[in-house]
Amino acid sequence: MKRIGVDVGGTFTDLVLWDDDGTVTVHKTPSTNHDPSIGTMDGISVLAEQAGIDPSEIEMFFHGTTVATNIVLEHNGSDVGMITTDGFRDLLHIARKKRPLNYSNYQDLPWQKWQLVPRRNRRTVPERIAANGDVITPLDDEAVRREVRLLRERKVAAIAVAFLHAYRNPTHEQRVKEIILEEYPEVFISLSSEVAPQYREYERFSTTALNAFVGPKTSTYVANLARKAAEAQVGEDVHLMTSAGGLVTSRSASEIPVSLLTSGVVAGLLGGCAIGKASGFPSVITLDVGGTSADVGVAPDGRLRMKHLLDTRIGDYHAMIPMAEVDTIGAGGGSVAVVDEGGMFRVGPRSAGAYPGPACYDRGGVEPTSTDAMMVMGWLREDSFLSGTMAVKPELAVDAIREHVAEKLGTSLEKAAMGIFTILAHSMTEAISLHSVRKGYDPRDFSLVAEGGAGPLYAWQIAEQLGIPRVIVPGHPGITSAVGLLTTDIRYEVPTTVWTSSDEPDLALIQSEMDRLASEAGNQLRADGIGEGDVTLERSVDCRYVGQGYELRVPAPDGEITAEWVQQVADAFHEAHGRTYSQRFDDKSVQLVNIRVTGVGAVPHVQIQEIESGGTDASAALKTTTRALFWERDSAEPIWVETPVFQREKLLAGNTFTGPAIVEQFDSTTIVGIGQKATVDKVGHIIIERASA
């Protein structure tokens, strides 16, 4: 079977073609941000040509995209109207009454400054449903019809429908959808009972509005890509990565596009998990450094952690959707270095992107970037960019750093370049510390997987700073996110709110709702063509102690819902609470707030193949030597060192060498620091051990 993974980033689009016979073909191409489908399909054509096949031979197409995320971050979504319950017009505006800076007398509140739905388009109608699902005030159909016609006159592109307690009884929202289809059939419709069917009014309203905000543009993009792929006969359908680390079909992605938020970054974590397992180190911290940003993820024993509800944000907005715990900082190959008017030396988060890009790209960029610093330090050589297929000018990097950094700081060119690297490396170290040490995990128990085009340039130094025992550099670090797309299954998570207690559980309610969710998840998978034998259902419950404001998610056992089942869930919550907060209260009652069923449809996964063995001598892979800038341990002064440069494709299993060293390949460059030992393992990954290990 031949399958392709395509990850669209802010700077480059990464592609990998994986054949079950063990053949792997990779390609990187600049992203076409005005229409990512252009770069995607052009890249597929080039990749197929490189592999010597016709695109129609590709049987499965997996895709990670930043389209929905960028729409939110750039505040350029569609014009949205909202229909809600009388009295709740300003819920989106009020939010949780929290301010980003509690003690500031003047500040913009992002969700008010950049409103998802302008107040004039937030329309209310008579209706009311109680928390138990009973209808208090029937829906006024004529009022709904008037408001839909008004929004049609205002030419909104999407309508969000969010009623009070619709998660318990969606009939009113479903009726509004019927009326919208009669009065304004071409508009994009977003129902809270379909997008986020669980309690918490503000988060549910915000998520529903976000879905409408990104819906028209994202669904159009997905439809265009699916159409172009069908015309080229690439795969049966486009499967897209979700924020929870699963895949959905193009149909599902078009209906609930909010599920695609952060999809690309999650693929990098999944790829890192597969890489760690293949090398025998399942607990991994992933560092995916691209041209614009760095993504950090932590996966104990190779398991994804899900974000807490307080952290499931995208930009300035709450999104009550399942999100794997991966976070992004503004640090990458294009991060711009500046010395401001106050003499402060900063690097990032602003990026030069792909255009104009770093100064050395010779595309009009004049500001120094991280990539320019690497060129000055000798780590990136003129003929190493995309294996020499991309022309660069090192002298432009020298001029940019000298003019904008070295002269302003009154220091040498070498120290200025090394300073750019050090500042960015420190930012990445802090991000990893935030998501490991401060959440109860010791980084010394993990391996650091270096991903992205720039990850292997930084990982060696970060491992030394955090005491991480080893760095794993995969065979194709620059396209790890694309590989991650090929390592997961189709997944649909269906939640609902039950509100019951472990002391007096409503077993009948839990059983009936669990059965309903299981049926819904199974039906979605069958609609995607997943066979019965490839479907599994996973249960989980959101729990909290009485009086707490937020929940923790815990896995729930299969089987009939009994008092023993509830006790098992409560015990799992006590354990999770103790691990998360270092305290547990086994004598306290546990509230079961939300229950969830995740339907998993198995698709064939890629298997990382073993490579040819070649003994410990790596001299056959030696390409040349070059002068490169390093600093010795505990020394502040950088020194020029004659450094061997290895060709990655010629390294064989068992090959060993000691740093300093540079390893070049098409999609990335790896640095091995002074005194560090590098060994190629059986699957072709470079294992770099700390110098102090």
Side-chain angles (χ1 to χ4, degrees):
M1 175 179 288
K2 296 178 177 63
R3 64 201 92 179
I4 191 168
V6 181
D7 178 57
V8 179
T11 306
F12 285 103
T13 293
D14 303 331
L15 304 98
V16 56
L17 177 63
W18 201 290
D19 196 319
D20 285 349
D21 66 5
T23 304
V24 180
T25 309
V26 303
H27 181 57
K28 291 176 78 76
T29 185
S31 297
T32 51
N33 294 326
H34 64 287
D35 184 354
S37 67
I38 296 174
T40 297
M41 296 309 300
D42 288 347
I44 290 175
S45 297
V46 174
L47 192 64
E49 183 178 348
Q50 290 177 350
I53 66 170
D54 189 90
S56 62
E57 296 180 50
I58 299 171
E59 297 167 75
M60 302 192 78
F61 181 5
F62 303 96
H63 184 41
T65 177
T66 58
V67 169
T69 303
N70 290 342
I71 290 172
V72 177
L73 298 180
E74 295 169 9
H75 307 290
N76 62 359
S78 302
D79 291 333
V80 179
M82 172 175 273
I83 296 177
T84 187
T85 308
D86 269 348
F88 288 83
R89 182 182 190 182
D90 293 318
L91 194 148
L92 276 180
H93 186 82
I94 297 169
R96 288 290 177 186
K97 297 177 67 175
K98 293 182 179 179
R99 300 162 63 88
L101 303 170
N102 287 332
Y103 301 104
S104 172
N105 290 326
Y106 175 82
Q107 62 177 300
D108 288 322
L109 300 180
W111 56 89
Q112 295 179 2
K113 182 176 181 179
W114 295 289
Q115 300 178 57
L116 293 172
V117 189
R119 191 174 194 272
R120 65 191 294 270
N121 287 343
R122 298 198 297 267
R123 316 303 300 176
T124 65
V125 296
E127 75 84 38
R128 192 65 177 259
I129 292 175
N132 64 359
D134 291 343
V135 176
I136 299 175
T137 303
L139 178 69
D140 187 331
D141 282 16
E142 287 307 311
V144 172
R145 208 170 290 277
R146 284 195 304 270
E147 299 300 346
V148 172
R149 290 170 179 169
L150 175 66
L151 293 175
R152 183 185 62 194
E153 291 173 4
R154 293 179 178 175
K155 298 181 180 180
V156 299
I159 297 178
V161 184
F163 287 152
L164 194 66
H165 302 305
Y167 58 90
R168 290 305 299 268
N169 183 349
T171 54
H172 284 181
E173 287 193 355
Q174 291 168 350
R175 176 55 186 154
V176 172
K177 184 176 183 178
E178 293 174 357
I179 294 173
I180 294 174
L181 290 174
E182 293 171 5
E183 298 286 345
Y184 196 4
E186 64 271 27
V187 77
F188 183 90
I189 304 172
S190 177
L191 302 187
S192 77
S193 53
E194 295 176 350
V195 175
Q198 51 191 314
Y199 97 108
R200 292 188 190 278
E201 266 62 51
Y202 167 62
E203 287 81 3
R204 181 162 55 88
F205 278 43
S206 175
T207 308
T208 306
L210 266 174
N211 193 62
F213 189 68
V214 304
K217 290 185 178 181
T218 304
S219 58
T220 298
Y221 164 71
V222 171
N224 286 341
L225 180 61
R227 175 180 53 79
K228 292 178 181 179
E231 291 172 352
Q233 297 181 311
V234 177
E236 295 181 359
D237 189 14
V238 180
H239 291 80
L240 295 101
M241 175 67 67
T242 69
S243 60
L247 297 167
V248 294
T249 61
S250 59
R251 172 188 59 83
S252 298
S254 296
E255 293 172 354
I256 312 291
V258 73
S259 67
L260 303 182
L261 296 173
T262 74
S263 75
V265 299
V266 178
L269 178 56
L270 286 168
C273 292
I275 287 158
K277 290 176 183 176
S279 289
F281 305 106
S283 292
V284 297
I285 296 172
T286 58
L287 175 68
D288 188 349
V289 187
T292 305
S293 60
D295 305 317
V296 173
V298 179
D301 296 322
R303 298 191 307 269
L304 269 63
R305 297 183 300 159
M306 305 307 291
K307 284 188 176 181
H308 192 280
L309 176 63
L310 286 171
D311 299 322
T312 55
R313 293 173 174 266
I314 181 68
D316 302 311
Y317 308 103
H318 270 93
M320 195 164 57
I321 57 174
M323 286 187 181
E325 189 152 341
V326 185
D327 282 282
T328 301
I329 62 171
S335 294
V336 175
V338 298
V339 178
D340 62 23
E341 294 179 355
M344 182 67 69
F345 183 19
R346 295 180 288 107
V347 186
R350 186 167 61 86
S351 173
Y355 293 94
C360 64
Y361 282 12
D362 194 22
R363 295 174 178 167
V366 296
E367 295 180 296
T369 67
S370 168
T371 297
D372 295 309
M374 303 287 188
M375 292 217 74
V376 169
M377 293 160 65
W379 296 4
L380 297 176
R381 301 184 312 117
E382 187 173 354
D383 62 352
S384 68
F385 279 76
L386 300 183
S387 297
T389 61
M390 180 176 173
V392 293
K393 292 185 176 181
E395 64 272 17
L396 296 180
V398 171
D399 293 343
I401 293 178
R402 177 177 287 121
E403 177 184 350
H404 294 279
V405 179
E407 292 180 354
K408 290 185 176 181
L409 292 177
T411 189
S412 67
L413 177 69
E414 291 81 3
K415 282 189 176 181
M418 189 66 79
I420 293 172
F421 167 80
T422 303
I423 290 173
L424 272 191
H426 179 73
S427 297
M428 297 174 197
T429 299
E430 284 295 297
I432 291 174
S433 177
L434 177 65
H435 296 289
S436 59
V437 177
R438 301 181 198 179
K439 295 193 176 180
Y441 294 99
D442 188 339
R444 294 172 296 184
D445 297 332
F446 291 77
S447 298
L448 180 61
V449 180
E451 306 174 5
L457 290 161
Y458 288 92
W460 69 278
Q461 173 67 6
I462 292 168
E464 293 288 348
Q465 292 181 353
L466 287 174
I468 300 173
R470 71 191 63 82
V471 173
I472 304 175
V473 183
H476 300 285
I479 48 86
T480 304
S481 290
V483 172
L485 295 166
L486 310 180
T487 65
T488 189
D489 299 305
I490 297 176
R491 301 175 69 91
Y492 292 106
E493 181 180 288
V494 190
T496 194
T497 299
V498 292
W499 276 115
T500 190
S501 166
S502 61
D503 288 343
E504 298 179 356
D506 190 335
L507 301 179
L509 173 64
I510 300 174
Q511 183 71 68
S512 64
E513 289 294 86
M514 199 71 83
D515 291 343
R516 179 180 66 82
L517 298 182
S519 176
E520 187 174 336
N523 289 339
Q524 285 183 314
L525 290 170
R526 282 185 284 273
D528 289 342
I530 303 298
E532 202 66 45
D534 293 324
V535 173
T536 56
L537 301 175
E538 300 172 352
R539 296 172 169 181
S540 59
V541 183
D542 298 343
C543 301
R544 68 187 187 187
Y545 291 121
V546 174
Q548 287 186 317
Y550 289 90
E551 304 80 39
L552 291 176
R553 181 187 299 195
V554 297
D558 295 327
E560 184 181 356
I561 308 301
T562 62
E564 290 75 19
W565 184 93
V566 173
Q567 187 58 50
Q568 286 180 277
V569 171
D571 291 342
F573 171 71
H574 292 309
E575 182 179 348
H577 197 279
R579 183 174 60 251
T580 305
Y581 301 113
S582 300
Q583 294 187 70
R584 55 186 290 167
F585 308 96
D586 295 74
D587 58 330
K588 299 296 183 181
S589 175
V590 175
Q591 284 184 323
L592 283 66
V593 180
N594 302 313
I595 61 174
R596 305 172 185 273
V597 172
T598 302
V600 181
V603 297
H605 294 182
V606 301
Q607 299 296 324
I608 299 176
Q609 305 291 324
E610 294 187 8
I611 67 169
E612 180 184 349
S613 259
T616 59
D617 185 9
S619 60
L622 185 62
K623 186 177 180 181
T624 186
T625 60
T626 188
R627 289 179 72 248
L629 194 65
F630 288 91
W631 64 97
E632 295 183 291
R633 190 174 180 83
D634 300 325
S635 173
E637 291 297 323
I639 58 173
W640 288 100
V641 183
E642 196 65 25
T643 304
V645 179
F646 293 95
Q647 185 66 34
R648 180 67 185 268
E649 290 77 13
K650 294 182 179 180
L651 287 172
L652 303 177
N655 285 179
T656 302
F657 52 93
T658 303
I662 299 172
V663 182
E664 294 180 346
Q665 61 191 103
F666 173 77
D667 58 316
S668 186
T669 296
T670 300
I671 298 296
V672 181
I674 292 177
Q676 294 181 331
K677 179 183 177 182
T679 304
V680 181
D681 71 5
K682 63 181 181 180
V683 291
H685 299 159
I686 300 176
I687 310 298
I688 303 174
E689 299 177 20
R690 286 173 48 233
S692 56

